[in-house]
Amino acid sequence: MEGFFALIAATLSFLIAMAVPLFAQRWRTLGIIVAVGAVFFGWLTVEMPIAGSIPSGIGAFLGGLMLFGFAGGVIARFVTLLGRRQAAGETPQ
């Protein structure tokens, strides 16, 4: 049963982190989300070795899954916004 909860936690940490950047509708919003994500993952990295902290409880595996999911979401939204801009008739730079 513990393995089942571990799989659920891993799936949720990946999917929720991926969904956050997908809410961005404009370039400015995506920039803000990326900046907040960079601060969060920086904090996660710095605080991970401290025993008893929240990042220590999350662990390196779930933190890595969150980072990978967040990066995937950012890339997906970046491509979507780039495609929307070119489809609107603007010339690519």
Side-chain angles (χ1 to χ4, degrees):
M1 197 58 155
E2 293 170 359
F4 175 74
F5 290 124
L7 286 173
I8 295 297
T11 302
L12 286 176
S13 68
F14 179 80
L15 291 178
I16 291 171
M18 180 178 270
V20 170
L22 295 177
F23 287 115
Q25 297 296 318
R26 294 179 291 152
W27 287 102
R28 179 181 289 174
T29 310
L30 182 64
I32 292 169
I33 289 173
V34 168
V36 169
V39 169
F40 172 75
F41 288 111
W43 170 73
L44 195 69
T45 302
V46 170
E47 294 287 322
M48 188 78 66
I50 299 173
S53 65
I54 293 172
S56 175
I58 290 174
F61 179 71
L62 290 181
L65 277 176
M66 286 191 295
L67 179 61
F68 187 67
F70 185 78
V74 167
I75 291 169
R77 182 49 66 185
F78 178 80
V79 170
T80 303
L81 289 174
L82 193 63
R84 182 184 308 161
R85 184 172 149 205
Q86 290 177 357
E90 296 181 16
T91 58
Q93 297 180 9

mmCIF file of all heavy atoms in Angstrom, residues 1 4 9-10 13 18 22 26 30-31 35-37 41 49 54 62 65 70 75 80-81 83 86:
data_model
loop_
_atom_site.group_PDB
_atom_site.id
_atom_site.type_symbol
_atom_site.label_atom_id
_atom_site.label_comp_id
_atom_site.label_asym_id
_atom_site.label_seq_id
_atom_site.Cartn_x
_atom_site.Cartn_y
_atom_site.Cartn_z
ATOM 1 N N MET A 1 0.805 -1.186 0.000
ATOM 2 C CA MET A 1 0.000 0.000 0.000
ATOM 3 C C MET A 1 0.858 1.263 0.000
ATOM 4 O O MET A 1 0.464 2.276 -0.570
ATOM 5 C CB MET A 1 -0.911 -0.033 1.221
ATOM 6 C CG MET A 1 -2.045 0.912 1.112
ATOM 7 S SD MET A 1 -3.013 0.538 -0.342
ATOM 8 C CE MET A 1 -4.564 1.169 0.096
ATOM 9 N N PHE A 4 1.712 2.296 -3.494
ATOM 10 C CA PHE A 4 0.604 2.947 -4.179
ATOM 11 C C PHE A 4 0.572 4.435 -3.852
ATOM 12 O O PHE A 4 0.408 5.275 -4.739
ATOM 13 C CB PHE A 4 -0.715 2.282 -3.772
ATOM 14 C CG PHE A 4 -1.922 2.961 -4.345
ATOM 15 C CD1 PHE A 4 -2.234 2.816 -5.685
ATOM 16 C CD2 PHE A 4 -2.728 3.741 -3.541
ATOM 17 C CE1 PHE A 4 -3.353 3.447 -6.219
ATOM 18 C CE2 PHE A 4 -3.839 4.371 -4.064
ATOM 19 C CZ PHE A 4 -4.150 4.224 -5.408
ATOM 20 N N ALA A 9 1.690 10.165 -5.149
ATOM 21 C CA ALA A 9 2.420 11.398 -4.825
ATOM 22 C C ALA A 9 3.335 11.806 -5.973
ATOM 23 O O ALA A 9 3.430 12.996 -6.311
ATOM 24 C CB ALA A 9 3.232 11.204 -3.547
ATOM 25 N N ALA A 10 4.008 10.845 -6.593
ATOM 26 C CA ALA A 10 4.900 11.155 -7.708
ATOM 27 C C ALA A 10 4.114 11.685 -8.903
ATOM 28 O O ALA A 10 4.512 12.666 -9.541
ATOM 29 C CB ALA A 10 5.693 9.914 -8.101
ATOM 30 N N SER A 13 2.802 15.249 -8.045
ATOM 31 C CA SER A 13 3.860 16.266 -8.015
ATOM 32 C C SER A 13 4.306 16.618 -9.428
ATOM 33 O O SER A 13 4.617 17.777 -9.715
ATOM 34 C CB SER A 13 5.047 15.801 -7.170
ATOM 35 O OG SER A 13 5.702 14.717 -7.790
ATOM 36 N N MET A 18 3.445 20.631 -13.750
ATOM 37 C CA MET A 18 3.336 20.861 -15.188
ATOM 38 C C MET A 18 2.155 21.770 -15.510
ATOM 39 O O MET A 18 2.210 22.577 -16.436
ATOM 40 C CB MET A 18 3.185 19.548 -15.945
ATOM 41 C CG MET A 18 3.056 19.728 -17.447
ATOM 42 S SD MET A 18 2.934 18.184 -18.300
ATOM 43 C CE MET A 18 4.656 17.868 -18.606
ATOM 44 N N LEU A 22 0.977 26.158 -17.586
ATOM 45 C CA LEU A 22 -0.003 26.083 -18.664
ATOM 46 C C LEU A 22 -1.165 27.050 -18.466
ATOM 47 O O LEU A 22 -1.959 27.259 -19.384
ATOM 48 C CB LEU A 22 -0.515 24.648 -18.808
ATOM 49 C CG LEU A 22 0.544 23.628 -19.257
ATOM 50 C CD1 LEU A 22 -0.066 22.236 -19.303
ATOM 51 C CD2 LEU A 22 1.137 23.998 -20.588
ATOM 52 N N ARG A 26 -0.443 34.984 -21.483
ATOM 53 C CA ARG A 26 0.358 36.007 -22.148
ATOM 54 C C ARG A 26 1.821 35.798 -21.796
ATOM 55 O O ARG A 26 2.163 35.069 -20.877
ATOM 56 C CB ARG A 26 -0.075 37.400 -21.674
ATOM 57 C CG ARG A 26 -1.479 37.748 -22.105
ATOM 58 C CD ARG A 26 -1.875 39.113 -21.609
ATOM 59 N NE ARG A 26 -2.011 39.047 -20.153
ATOM 60 C CZ ARG A 26 -1.832 40.070 -19.338
ATOM 61 N NH1 ARG A 26 -1.520 41.230 -19.807
ATOM 62 N NH2 ARG A 26 -1.990 39.924 -18.052
ATOM 63 N N LEU A 30 3.684 34.332 -18.302
ATOM 64 C CA LEU A 30 4.642 33.228 -18.338
ATOM 65 C C LEU A 30 5.960 33.630 -17.682
ATOM 66 O O LEU A 30 6.553 32.846 -16.939
ATOM 67 C CB LEU A 30 4.879 32.769 -19.777
ATOM 68 C CG LEU A 30 5.831 31.588 -19.941
ATOM 69 C CD1 LEU A 30 5.257 30.337 -19.276
ATOM 70 C CD2 LEU A 30 6.124 31.324 -21.404
ATOM 71 N N GLY A 31 6.398 34.858 -17.932
ATOM 72 C CA GLY A 31 7.628 35.345 -17.297
ATOM 73 C C GLY A 31 7.523 35.383 -15.782
ATOM 74 O O GLY A 31 8.469 35.020 -15.071
ATOM 75 N N ALA A 35 9.691 33.132 -13.153
ATOM 76 C CA ALA A 35 10.470 33.763 -12.076
ATOM 77 C C ALA A 35 10.101 33.182 -10.711
ATOM 78 O O ALA A 35 10.984 32.867 -9.904
ATOM 79 C CB ALA A 35 10.250 35.272 -12.091
ATOM 80 N N VAL A 36 8.807 33.031 -10.460
ATOM 81 C CA VAL A 36 8.370 32.446 -9.179
ATOM 82 C C VAL A 36 8.841 30.993 -9.082
ATOM 83 O O VAL A 36 9.272 30.539 -8.019
ATOM 84 C CB VAL A 36 6.837 32.561 -9.027
ATOM 85 C CG1 VAL A 36 6.340 31.748 -7.853
ATOM 86 C CG2 VAL A 36 6.434 34.011 -8.879
ATOM 87 N N GLY A 37 8.776 30.259 -10.187
ATOM 88 C CA GLY A 37 9.259 28.876 -10.193
ATOM 89 C C GLY A 37 10.756 28.786 -9.926
ATOM 90 O O GLY A 37 11.211 27.901 -9.202
ATOM 91 N N PHE A 41 12.252 26.716 -6.797
ATOM 92 C CA PHE A 41 13.181 25.601 -6.947
ATOM 93 C C PHE A 41 14.566 25.939 -6.407
ATOM 94 O O PHE A 41 15.300 25.049 -5.973
ATOM 95 C CB PHE A 41 13.230 25.130 -8.404
ATOM 96 C CG PHE A 41 11.982 24.408 -8.810
ATOM 97 C CD1 PHE A 41 11.100 24.960 -9.716
ATOM 98 C CD2 PHE A 41 11.666 23.185 -8.249
ATOM 99 C CE1 PHE A 41 9.933 24.303 -10.075
ATOM 100 C CE2 PHE A 41 10.502 22.508 -8.595
ATOM 101 C CZ PHE A 41 9.633 23.076 -9.507
ATOM 102 N N PRO A 49 19.138 20.045 2.211
ATOM 103 C CA PRO A 49 19.980 19.311 3.178
ATOM 104 C C PRO A 49 19.624 19.544 4.651
ATOM 105 O O PRO A 49 20.082 18.804 5.516
ATOM 106 C CB PRO A 49 21.390 19.824 2.914
ATOM 107 C CG PRO A 49 21.338 20.653 1.694
ATOM 108 C CD PRO A 49 19.918 21.006 1.443
ATOM 109 N N ILE A 54 10.727 21.714 5.231
ATOM 110 C CA ILE A 54 9.720 21.260 4.266
ATOM 111 C C ILE A 54 10.379 20.614 3.043
ATOM 112 O O ILE A 54 9.961 19.534 2.627
ATOM 113 C CB ILE A 54 8.790 22.421 3.869
ATOM 114 C CG1 ILE A 54 7.949 22.828 5.074
ATOM 115 C CG2 ILE A 54 7.898 22.037 2.699
ATOM 116 C CD1 ILE A 54 7.137 24.077 4.858
ATOM 117 N N LEU A 62 10.918 13.631 -5.416
ATOM 118 C CA LEU A 62 9.715 14.402 -5.730
ATOM 119 C C LEU A 62 10.066 15.818 -6.165
ATOM 120 O O LEU A 62 9.408 16.385 -7.037
ATOM 121 C CB LEU A 62 8.767 14.439 -4.537
ATOM 122 C CG LEU A 62 8.071 13.129 -4.197
ATOM 123 C CD1 LEU A 62 7.142 13.318 -3.011
ATOM 124 C CD2 LEU A 62 7.317 12.581 -5.381
ATOM 125 N N LEU A 65 11.031 15.513 -9.757
ATOM 126 C CA LEU A 65 9.832 15.329 -10.584
ATOM 127 C C LEU A 65 9.083 16.645 -10.767
ATOM 128 O O LEU A 65 8.589 16.944 -11.864
ATOM 129 C CB LEU A 65 8.897 14.301 -9.963
ATOM 130 C CG LEU A 65 9.208 12.836 -10.240
ATOM 131 C CD1 LEU A 65 8.243 11.955 -9.469
ATOM 132 C CD2 LEU A 65 9.142 12.532 -11.710
ATOM 133 N N PHE A 70 7.596 21.042 -14.209
ATOM 134 C CA PHE A 70 7.524 22.483 -14.410
ATOM 135 C C PHE A 70 8.230 22.882 -15.702
ATOM 136 O O PHE A 70 7.705 23.682 -16.478
ATOM 137 C CB PHE A 70 8.143 23.204 -13.209
ATOM 138 C CG PHE A 70 8.022 24.692 -13.271
ATOM 139 C CD1 PHE A 70 6.825 25.307 -12.951
ATOM 140 C CD2 PHE A 70 9.096 25.475 -13.633
ATOM 141 C CE1 PHE A 70 6.700 26.687 -13.003
ATOM 142 C CE2 PHE A 70 8.987 26.849 -13.689
ATOM 143 C CZ PHE A 70 7.786 27.469 -13.375
ATOM 144 N N ILE A 75 8.001 24.750 -21.334
ATOM 145 C CA ILE A 75 8.321 24.532 -22.749
ATOM 146 C C ILE A 75 7.043 24.437 -23.577
ATOM 147 O O ILE A 75 6.937 25.036 -24.652
ATOM 148 C CB ILE A 75 9.199 23.282 -22.918
ATOM 149 C CG1 ILE A 75 10.588 23.535 -22.329
ATOM 150 C CG2 ILE A 75 9.300 22.869 -24.384
ATOM 151 C CD1 ILE A 75 11.439 22.295 -22.199
ATOM 152 N N THR A 80 3.384 27.121 -27.407
ATOM 153 C CA THR A 80 2.016 27.541 -27.713
ATOM 154 C C THR A 80 1.935 29.052 -27.937
ATOM 155 O O THR A 80 1.308 29.506 -28.899
ATOM 156 C CB THR A 80 1.061 27.144 -26.570
ATOM 157 O OG1 THR A 80 1.151 25.744 -26.360
ATOM 158 C CG2 THR A 80 -0.365 27.522 -26.880
ATOM 159 N N LEU A 81 2.562 29.832 -27.054
ATOM 160 C CA LEU A 81 2.538 31.282 -27.219
ATOM 161 C C LEU A 81 3.289 31.720 -28.465
ATOM 162 O O LEU A 81 2.877 32.651 -29.154
ATOM 163 C CB LEU A 81 3.113 31.968 -25.976
ATOM 164 C CG LEU A 81 2.262 31.905 -24.717
ATOM 165 C CD1 LEU A 81 3.010 32.485 -23.533
ATOM 166 C CD2 LEU A 81 0.952 32.614 -24.915
ATOM 167 N N GLY A 83 3.615 29.948 -31.227
ATOM 168 C CA GLY A 83 2.770 29.581 -32.365
ATOM 169 C C GLY A 83 1.590 30.515 -32.527
ATOM 170 O O GLY A 83 1.196 30.845 -33.640
ATOM 171 N N GLN A 86 2.809 33.770 -34.217
ATOM 172 C CA GLN A 86 3.056 33.635 -35.644
ATOM 173 C C GLN A 86 1.757 33.425 -36.411
ATOM 174 O O GLN A 86 1.633 33.871 -37.539
ATOM 175 C CB GLN A 86 4.016 32.490 -35.902
ATOM 176 C CG GLN A 86 5.420 32.798 -35.425
ATOM 177 C CD GLN A 86 6.364 31.638 -35.613
ATOM 178 O OE1 GLN A 86 5.955 30.568 -36.064
ATOM 179 N NE2 GLN A 86 7.617 31.843 -35.280
#
